[in-house]
Amino acid sequence: MGEIKLDNLTKEYGDLVAVNSVDITIPDGSYTMILGPSGCGKSTTLRMIAGLETPTRGDVSIDDEIVTDLPPRKRDLSMVFQNLALWDHKSVRENMAFGLEMDGVPKNEQNEQVERIAEILQIEDKLDQSPAALSGGQQQRVALGRSLVREPDVILLDEPLSSLDAKLRLEMRAELARIQQRIGTTFVHVTHNQEDAMSIADEILLLNNGQIQQYGDPIDLFEDPNNEFVANFIGTPSMNLLDATYVDDGEQPYIDAGGFQLAIPEAYHDIYRENIPSRDVHIGMRPNKLRPARNGGTPDMPSFDASVSMVETFGDANWYYLDAGTDEDLIMKTADEDVIQSVSTHDDLTVSVSPDAIHVFDPEKGEAYT
Ligand code: ADP
């Protein structure tokens, strides 16, 4: 078991609040990523879970036991550090067995356990070599193996992919997800890379300035961001965000984005009226939610006219920069072959967006109204 509860967890360094009242439960057996920009409090949160940092306030519990005052070795967890900290003068086997040796586990049991884990990690033929003779990805596995052999309830990983080149990074991240699924241990992994988090996490804890911005399923963060920070941080390219006015004359509510207007379909009138208290709003639309309208649009799909100012091609998808009369171009991202074949620079088109994919934010606080 490895359920982790963070109860109002707070860390202050003098006047700086590095982690501010983080209050979440990380499910047993999940792969959870702590995500956010540099300095947002990710490592401090991880280090408080590990017991390497003492909270100013709040508690850490593992499986309903409060461990806030326990030293790291008394917590049933293991941490994989960014710099791996492998000993080159010892063999891979000795590196991996280190924790077991410290725990006084008999040699034959150490060997059995190391060999079992080495097989899972596919480094069983490297056990008698020095880590210095291995590739970056293999060294990463040794560091992970050293944690896994002790069969902790929780594995903590601090930016484990950051020193790897782009291709190896993708391989290793899929490998981490596979290993985690196979052994079922709770993984808590710190990253600043939203694509890593989106691709493999079961749960994402997105922090900014020490505060939770959103905690949940990657798809929820993508489809239903709590605020503009989440909307902007998650997704490539970022969500299109615009200053706009919400207008309701009692009949047809619409959004005036300056260069174009979006009529709100009837089925959404009540939601808009109940949730949007101001005229000034920000609106957001994900690039992959914009698409050329068929037959010039329909009443249940808001649409607007735009011209294509530039196209970026990626082979598997195109990004269309759309001039719709607003200060900055909007981006439409599509992998639809029909669109890729038929739409090019300087074309005029009508673009539609599902009403579910129009996000309306409080322009002051950035929180989502809808
Ligand atoms: P992240 O891992 O998201 O980059 P950190 O958790 O390392 O962020 O740091 C959060 C904030 O706390 C940063 O502003 C950082 O400068 C500050 N901080 C971290 N450790 C200390 C420390 N030991 N003393 C003072 N400030 C610290």
Side-chain angles (χ1 to χ4, degrees), residues 13 16-19 36-45 47 53 158-159 190 207:
Y13 295 108
L16 178 88
V17 187
V19 176
S38 179
C40 73
K42 302 180 296 292
S43 294
T44 306
T45 303
R47 291 169 62 80
E53 205 75 67
D158 192 358
E159 297 269 9
V190 160
L207 297 176

Side-chain angles (χ1 to χ4, degrees), residues 265-305:
E266 185 148 9
Y268 289 78
H269 288 186
D270 287 349
I271 300 174
Y272 272 66
R273 288 182 174 138
E274 281 161 25
N275 293 297
I276 305 178
S278 60
R279 269 178 68 80
D280 289 340
V281 294
H282 286 172
I283 62 162
M285 297 179 288
R286 291 237 174 255
N288 68 321
K289 301 287 182 177
L290 300 181
R291 59 193 52 144
R294 299 198 193 283
N295 313 319
T298 57
D300 58 351
M301 285 287 261
S303 59
F304 59 92
D305 292 334

Side-chain angles (χ1 to χ4, degrees), residues 48 61 114 137 142 150-151 206 222 244 270 272 289 293 329 352:
M48 287 193 283
S61 305
V114 166
V142 176
R150 295 182 62 216
E151 299 190 325
L206 178 52
F222 188 83
D270 287 349
Y272 272 66
K289 301 287 182 177
D329 282 355
S352 71

